[in-house]
Amino acid sequence: MPAKKITTPLTDEVVRGLRAGDEVAISGVVYQARDAAHKRLVALIEAGEPLPFELQGAVVYYMGPSPAGPGKVIGSAGPTTSGRMDAYAPLLMAHGLKGMIGKGLRTPEVKQAMVDTTAVYFAATGGAGALLSRRIVGNEVIAYPELGAEAIARLEVKDFPAIVVNDCYGADLYEEGRKKYAREA
Amino acid sequence: MSPVRELDVAEITAAVREMCMTANYDLPDDVYEALKTGTQTEESPVGKAVFEQLVENADIARADRVPMCQDTGFAVFFVNVGQDVHLGGGSFEEALNEGVRRGYRDGFLRKSIAAEPAHARRNTTDNTPCVVHTSIVPGDRVELWMMAKGGGAENMSSLTMLKPSQGWPGMVQAVLDTVSRAGANPCPPIVLGVGIGGTIDMVTVLAKKALLRDIGSVPADERIAGMEAELLAKVNLLGIGPQGLGGTQTCLAVFIEEMPCHIASMPMAVNVQCHAQRHKHVVL
């Protein structure tokens, strides 16, 4: 099945059209943010202060790149383990976040928040940072440059390959995929 | 008395700088071949596509001299220092750190080490300090093994102090529990380094040392070879598959290192390694 082409920011209608197991090609802007950036974003929301980017419809990419070599847009740029952002994700979804790109398992609370707020979780291939970096065509640090690889950057992606793991209906590809191939010893 | 060989630690720094870069650009042949095999043996179509991406990713990294993964790792060294070598020109450990500093800077590798882990978590900005396990051995050579150990897989590792009565079945269960709990997180297909015996410190070193082996290598001890084969087969029945998306190839290899332990103990450590099994070896 060919990948579904989707463009950011995401609307509820687009999110409702995505099902666990769908392969997607994402184009548009995604925001790079990992551990330290999430801690700061949540602190801003709790203090009622403005965020460095528009959260409504936004997609975040859990990623901290390696430094860009000469003439390169970005260095190696694959996903990091999403579970470390689980403590922050529900609050961001409650404030408009629609998509997350990462790798690895999410907590039941995060999955429930996706159902409640109509949001989606995509996995990109972990450890394929050289390949994925070729789908990132623009890169601008917009907040916390002092965090280095953990800064927030506005990334322009073109046909970025990912797969829907958790959809807004509560389905989980990690659980379903594993069940399908598990064998008795 | 054997003559003493002089070795300037600057040679160690130069070798380490190079190892850090090539480890991150050039996936070792044994791992590359295992990924290629996976494109044929994996039963899940999604899993097959993951293997194909990983082979292409390794090709791009090698050709473009970019790191295969943005997590360019904690630099971990095992060093055998021949007892007939005299290391001059400065501190041995500082020479290793300087090599890491230069390699991570010149190679455009990510600096991923945080100081004051409990509070400030301040990036040391040069990927130091490295982790060093040194052994004094006969001879007049210095032999270095380097691993770039990513955080995602390291986080999924485990240490279990079993009761001797739990025996081998208890160990098998501990490995399966570790891999099962890790699921998609450590970037499967994984490699497992399993340490058995010793003490809580030694067993984790054994598990890490086990990861220096090449995929496809068979231990001389047939008993250990049988244990490795059994664990590999059982882990691959879990169904986790490449990237945890479901499949038959969760693990590429299991390597065991063991040593005697206290009569009251049965320590076991499982060091989980992602598919980017970056290891390098040089002799000076």
Side-chain angles (χ1 to χ4, degrees):
Chain A
M1 207 169 56
K4 254 184 206 178
K5 284 183 179 286
I6 56 173
T7 305
T8 64
L10 299 180
T11 60
D12 282 2
E13 192 190 345
V14 169
V15 173
R16 284 195 203 102
L18 297 171
R19 299 282 184 158
D22 285 354
E23 290 177 40
V24 296
I26 306 169
S27 295
V29 168
V30 302
Y31 293 95
Q32 164 196 315
R34 49 172 289 161
D35 308 50
H38 271 75
K39 197 172 171 184
R40 293 192 188 192
L41 289 175
V42 163
L44 287 176
I45 291 174
E46 284 170 350
E49 288 175 29
L51 299 180
F53 63 93
E54 175 57 55
L55 208 47
Q56 189 56 52
V59 174
V60 290
Y61 183 15
Y62 300 142
M63 189 273 287
S66 62
K72 296 275 171 67
V73 170
I74 197 164
S76 195
T80 194
T81 311
S82 308
R84 293 195 316 275
M85 271 55 77
D86 282 349
Y88 311 112
L91 185 67
L92 296 184
M93 283 186 261
H95 284 78
L97 180 72
K98 285 286 155 203
M100 297 157 280
I101 308 170
K103 55 122 179 157
L105 312 168
R106 309 310 301 263
T107 57
E109 292 74 19
V110 173
K111 291 187 239 177
Q112 186 59 46
M114 286 183 235
V115 174
D116 294 343
T117 67
T118 316
V120 61
Y121 172 49
F122 307 99
T125 299
L131 178 139
L132 293 170
S133 72
R134 290 189 166 186
R135 308 298 178 91
I136 299 173
V137 296
N139 171 17
E140 182 197 354
V141 172
I142 57 165
Y144 319 132
E146 69 279 10
L147 293 178
E150 295 206 59
I152 296 180
R154 183 182 185 280
L155 304 177
E156 179 91 27
V157 297
K158 191 158 180 358
D159 291 328
F160 187 92
I163 188 162
V164 177
V165 170
N166 296 108
D167 60 29
C168 67
Y169 305 99
D172 186 330
L173 179 63
Y174 287 141
E175 285 175 12
E176 289 164 17
R178 185 169 171 174
K179 233 177 266 168
K180 193 168 165 189
Y181 289 95
R183 307 272 189 272
E184 289 296 320
Chain B
M1 288 285 279
S2 318
V4 171
R5 176 179 166 230
E6 289 291 330
L7 183 69
D8 193 316
V9 294
E11 284 192 47
I12 293 177
T13 296
V16 165
R17 174 185 176 275
E18 190 65 23
M19 287 169 107
C20 291
M21 294 196 274
T22 54
N24 277 292
Y25 304 154
D26 303 322
L27 191 67
D29 292 343
D30 62 303
V31 186
Y32 186 76
E33 287 308 316
L35 295 179
K36 278 199 120 165
T37 303
T39 65
Q40 303 301 316
T41 53
E42 174 55 54
E43 288 176 26
S44 142
V46 173
K48 223 181 245 290
V50 168
F51 272 113
E52 282 163 6
Q53 275 191 330
L54 296 178
V55 169
E56 190 187 347
N57 184 66
D59 290 338
I60 292 171
R62 187 180 289 272
D64 288 3
R65 312 313 285 163
V66 296
M68 61 194 81
C69 177
Q70 74 290 338
D71 182 353
T72 52
F74 209 137
V76 178
F77 294 90
F78 283 86
V79 189
N80 284 354
V81 179
Q83 61 197 38
D84 298 328
V85 181
H86 173 248
L87 298 171
S91 146
F92 162 68
E93 290 212 3
E94 181 45 34
L96 288 170
N97 278 320
E98 184 57 26
V100 168
R101 203 170 278 133
R102 292 182 191 179
Y104 276 71
R105 178 194 66 201
D106 300 345
F108 294 91
L109 308 181
R110 199 180 76 183
K111 290 76 182 173
S112 310
I113 307 305
E116 298 174 50
H119 293 105
R121 297 191 66 80
R122 179 176 41 79
N123 196 303
T124 62
T125 72
D126 60 6
N127 219 57
T128 68
C130 58
V131 170
V132 190
H133 303 286
T134 307
S135 303
I136 307 292
V137 301
D140 66 353
R141 304 278 164 186
V142 172
E143 198 167 5
L144 294 138
W145 290 263
M146 185 262 181
M147 296 166 76
K149 193 71 176 72
E154 191 76 356
N155 286 345
M156 296 297 115
S157 302
S158 69
L159 166 68
T160 316
M161 300 305 278
L162 293 149
K163 291 177 186 150
S165 65
Q166 289 175 280
W168 175 241
M171 293 194 166
V172 172
Q173 196 55 49
V175 171
L176 294 177
D177 288 348
T178 299
V179 176
S180 196
R181 199 167 47 234
N185 291 7
C187 285
I190 53 175
V191 177
L192 295 174
V194 178
I196 296 174
T199 49
I200 63 155
D201 49 334
M202 272 311 298
V203 75
T204 52
V205 175
L206 291 173
K208 181 142 272 113
K209 193 174 185 182
L211 291 174
L212 296 174
R213 277 202 13 227
D214 284 346
I215 296 174
S217 66
V218 180
D221 186 334
E222 278 183 30
R223 182 181 52 89
I224 298 280
M227 289 156 74
E228 291 179 353
E230 181 184 343
L231 285 174
L232 179 62
K234 287 187 170 159
V235 164
N236 280 332
L237 293 176
L238 291 173
I240 294 168
Q243 294 294 308
L245 299 168
T248 55
Q249 307 293 309
T250 303
C251 185
L252 301 173
V254 178
F255 301 130
I256 295 176
E257 288 279 329
E258 72 167 14
M259 72 176 288
C261 64
H262 192 284
I263 52 171
S265 304
M266 198 160 83
M268 177 178 206
V270 182
N271 199 182
V272 182
Q273 167 67 52
C274 62
H275 57 77
Q277 202 210 5
R278 295 157 290 189
H279 57 114
K280 287 281 156 187
H281 175 223
V282 296
V283 181
L284 299 174

